[in-house]
Amino acid sequence: MFGLSYMLFNLCVCVCWSCNNYKGCSFRPETKRKIFFEKISLSLVQLCPFYISVYTSEAILLGFQHYLVMLGTTVIIPTSLVPQMGGGNEEKAKVIQTLLFVAGLNTLLQSLFGSRLPAVIGGSYTFVPTTISIILAGRFSDSSDPIERFKRIMRATQGALIVASTLQIVLGFSGLWRNVARFLSPLSVVPLVSLVGFGLYEFGFPGVAKCVEIGLPQLILIVFVSQYVPHVIKSGRNVFDRFAVLFSVVIVWIYAHLLTVGGAYNGTAPKTQTSCRTDRSGLIDAAPWIRVPYPFQWGAPSFDAGEAFAMMMASFVALVESTGAFISVSRYASATPMPPSILSRGIGWQGVAILVSGLFGTANGSSVSVENAGLLALTRVGSRRVVQISAGFMIFFSILGKFGAVFASIPAPIIAALYCLFFAYVGAGGLSFLQFCNLNSFRTKFILGFSVFMGLSVPQYFNEYTAINGYGPVHTGARWFNDIVNVPFSSEAFVAGCLAYFLDNTLHRKDSGIRKDRGKHWWDKFRSFKGDSRSEEFYSLPFNLNKYFPSV
């Protein structure tokens, strides 16, 4: 019996983060037996490496969960942008396919050669305002054919993204961002990471309320299944908390479909039908059976200097936000704090991801998926292999358009309910860094309170002003200049993170005891790649590439 169990163990997908001198899956036999028979779940606070064994079937299901979660942003952004660009359902389906395909490629690249963390790289809301600004540019108004107008705008966004990608590529691969990251401390990280999650509150319950009879049951069900059921039904395999997304989404999706076919939304307002019905996305009919996205599929990119500068600012904002998201992912994957060189390498590959987005034409840039970072906390499986499997799902369903469109037609309120949980997890992950800071220090209280408050207040002013007037507080004749100022101040994480970083590195920094108040001494040995032996186990490149591309 044990022989069979031992053989099954070797069929597991192992995510092995080893202590001492045992690397990869090279366990001692007695260690293997111990891990096989004793359940090991991922500690959210413990920073010591450990082992996780996930059966192949579980890894596939967990990867599929990551795929389902990232579908929300992948569908919502093109659904919002493509009609404004002049495209119909067919163009929308192709853009979603392309964004999904590119997300799969970029996730694989990031997990193999970038940060090496289990981070999903997908679409980003940060680039949406700049894309809308390009859509509203006057030079496209002379196109009478809406499809031709769509292609012209798409080619303009491609050119802007290609230029904007150079910012992150240069900052990342040159090591400049490494020098910035070395001045981060647990205190300055708290507002940044917290508002990377909490700052997306507008995509949470407001989205649930668009169809409350679907969104609210989904929210209640996922909390119940993930938090209460595991303590009532003790299966010993953590089935309910690991697969709460699958259980809850399937149940509520079937319920929503029954409401649709039962005629519950017949005669309701068009906006209600769009949010609630399971057959109104238009994706299934419009999506081709098989289609492989390819570079320059919309034509040769066009370039405009002003739009390129505006997109570069959006890229810089996404860089700051992704820094917080990377830190959150490392936290929930129970990895050691990211050495600055590894963070810089991840940013460089994120720049490559934006370049790929521009080449393929997604109408949107790329950044770390915050919702998938929250899913790591829910499942407590920080597996690089699982995320790579999810990338496989992204590529597979982007090519088989009809099948992918079925999952992409999940009503948006269901996705918004998931956001409520995942964004909260990421925000709480930021707050967890407070354990390294001295909360009795008035300096700590000032930096923390002021940066978080301003991080919420300043973007609220900019977003409210834009919603009322149709343009931002900075409104000149140069639309690109308006975006350069309005976009960064509309991001909660960017405002809070930059303000905390500045205050933490300038306010009484040389006073005795301040270093411990900031929690900086906890991160001293992680300032360089070789400062801690575990960094190599977490972040070293595959195929012995560290020999040719050493981290510092």
Side-chain angles (χ1 to χ4, degrees):
M1 181 66 184
F2 177 78
L4 177 61
S5 301
Y6 187 85
M7 183 175 65
L8 287 173
F9 175 84
N10 286 294
L11 293 175
C12 294
V13 176
C14 295
V15 186
C16 309
W17 305 63
S18 53
C19 291
N20 301 325
N21 295 319
Y22 301 100
K23 298 183 179 180
C25 286
S26 303
F27 304 139
R28 294 173 295 181
E30 61 270 22
T31 308
K32 284 189 175 182
R33 297 188 188 100
K34 182 178 180 181
I35 295 171
F36 185 78
F37 290 110
E38 293 182 11
K39 186 63 183 175
I40 298 180
S41 61
L42 196 152
S43 168
L44 301 186
V45 178
Q46 182 182 3
L47 291 178
C48 178
F50 56 92
Y51 310 96
I52 308 170
S53 67
V54 185
Y55 291 114
T56 304
S57 57
E58 288 187 7
I60 293 173
L61 289 175
L62 288 166
F64 186 71
Q65 271 193 154
H66 276 280
Y67 163 72
L68 280 182
V69 169
M70 68 82 58
L71 268 181
T73 302
T74 305
V75 173
I76 290 172
I77 292 176
T79 300
S80 171
L81 293 178
V82 172
Q84 299 182 60
M85 298 167 70
N89 284 338
E90 183 178 349
E91 287 71 32
K92 180 172 70 173
K94 288 181 178 179
V95 173
I96 290 174
Q97 279 184 275
T98 304
L99 187 55
L100 195 58
F101 183 82
V102 167
L105 288 179
N106 290 332
T107 300
L108 282 177
L109 290 174
Q110 186 66 236
S111 62
L112 285 173
F113 308 113
S115 65
R116 300 282 287 155
L117 288 170
V120 172
I121 307 298
S124 172
Y125 294 108
T126 304
F127 295 89
V128 171
T130 308
T131 304
I132 293 176
S133 181
I134 295 175
I135 293 172
L136 298 176
R139 70 178 187 278
F140 303 115
S141 58
D142 58 345
S143 297
S144 56
D145 182 9
I147 303 303
E148 180 60 28
R149 180 173 180 268
F150 164 79
K151 290 183 177 179
R152 288 181 63 190
I153 295 174
M154 179 63 79
R155 293 196 291 269
T157 60
Q158 285 183 257
L161 285 170
I162 290 171
V163 175
S165 67
T166 59
L167 177 72
Q168 293 196 24
I169 291 173
V170 170
L171 289 178
F173 291 136
S174 69
L176 290 174
W177 197 248
R178 175 187 67 213
N179 296 329
V180 174
R182 280 179 174 162
F183 291 96
L184 284 171
S185 70
L187 177 57
S188 58
V189 157
V190 171
L192 173 62
V193 179
S194 296
L195 291 195
V196 163
F198 295 145
L200 296 172
Y201 61 86
E202 60 189 288
F203 298 105
F205 197 80
V208 171
K210 289 181 179 178
C211 188
V212 71
E213 62 269 28
I214 293 176
L216 192 59
Q218 171 64 41
L219 180 58
I220 294 173
L221 193 60
I222 191 171
V223 171
F224 179 74
V225 172
S226 64
Q227 305 301 321
Y228 289 92
V229 172
H231 297 283
V232 176
I233 305 175
K234 298 185 178 180
S235 63
R237 291 285 299 275
N238 287 359
V239 173
F240 293 103
D241 46 358
R242 280 189 176 178
F243 303 107
V245 171
L246 287 179
F247 287 131
S248 59
V249 168
V250 168
I251 293 171
V252 177
W253 194 9
I254 293 173
Y255 162 66
H257 186 66
L258 292 176
L259 289 179
T260 300
V261 299
Y265 302 113
N266 294 343
T268 58
K271 195 175 274 189
T272 301
Q273 295 197 32
T274 301
S275 298
C276 300
R277 294 182 69 98
T278 58
D279 58 357
R280 278 302 175 93
S281 65
L283 295 177
I284 299 176
D285 293 333
W289 281 101
I290 297 178
R291 179 180 180 272
V292 180
Y294 55 92
F296 308 121
Q297 57 190 327
W298 313 108
S302 61
F303 297 90
D304 179 88
E307 292 168 358
F309 281 121
M311 195 66 81
M312 287 182 77
M313 177 52 74
S315 176
F316 183 67
V317 175
L319 183 156
V320 174
E321 293 174 346
S322 291
T323 297
F326 273 129
I327 294 171
S328 177
V329 170
S330 69
R331 185 73 168 157
Y332 281 131
S334 251
T336 56
M338 293 182 73
S341 60
I342 302 302
L343 177 59
S344 189
R345 189 176 72 194
I347 292 299
W349 278 100
Q350 184 173 276
V352 174
I354 298 173
L355 175 62
V356 174
S357 299
L359 295 176
F360 278 79
T362 62
N364 188 250
S366 299
S367 67
V368 180
S369 172
V370 179
E371 54 268 33
N372 288 88
L375 182 58
L376 293 177
L378 180 69
T379 61
R380 302 184 185 183
V381 176
S383 164
R384 187 187 302 133
R385 186 68 55 85
V386 166
V387 168
Q388 291 169 347
I389 291 173
S390 76
F393 279 117
M394 297 173 207
I395 296 172
F396 178 78
F397 284 116
S398 67
I399 295 174
L400 299 180
K402 291 287 186 187
F403 296 99
V406 171
F407 298 108
S409 62
I410 296 174
I414 293 179
I415 303 298
L418 299 179
Y419 286 171
C420 291
L421 187 60
F422 298 145
F423 293 160
Y425 262 128
V426 173
L431 295 179
S432 69
F433 287 99
L434 287 173
Q435 66 182 298
F436 303 112
C437 307
N438 179 13
L439 292 178
N440 291 319
S441 166
F442 280 92
R443 178 186 182 274
T444 300
K445 293 173 182 175
F446 167 72
I447 294 174
L448 184 65
F450 186 67
S451 58
V452 170
F453 180 83
M454 295 303 290
L456 294 171
S457 186
V458 173
Q460 174 65 22
Y461 165 72
F462 273 76
N463 293 329
E464 189 176 297
Y465 190 101
T466 303
I468 294 174
N469 298 285
Y471 50 83
V474 178
H475 182 59
T476 66
R479 191 181 294 274
W480 61 272
F481 178 78
N482 301 339
D483 290 338
I484 287 178
V485 180
N486 290 329
V487 169
F489 287 106
S490 299
S491 168
E492 288 86 353
F494 181 85
V495 174
C498 290
L499 189 56
Y501 182 87
F502 173 78
L503 293 174
D504 190 36
N505 285 287
T506 58
L507 190 63
H508 314 312
R509 184 184 170 192
K510 295 183 178 180
D511 290 3
S512 59
I514 293 299
R515 185 175 179 80
K516 288 190 176 181
D517 290 347
R518 303 167 66 201
K520 189 72 173 175
H521 60 294
W522 291 101
W523 284 5
D524 278 344
K525 64 180 179 178
F526 304 110
R527 290 187 65 187
S528 66
F529 180 76
K530 296 181 180 180
D532 189 278
S533 60
R534 294 168 294 178
S535 294
E536 183 178 351
E537 298 163 7
F538 285 114
Y539 303 112
S540 61
L541 293 170
F543 316 121
N544 202 28
L545 288 175
N546 264 52
K547 180 180 178 181
Y548 306 100
F549 304 98
S551 299
V552 296

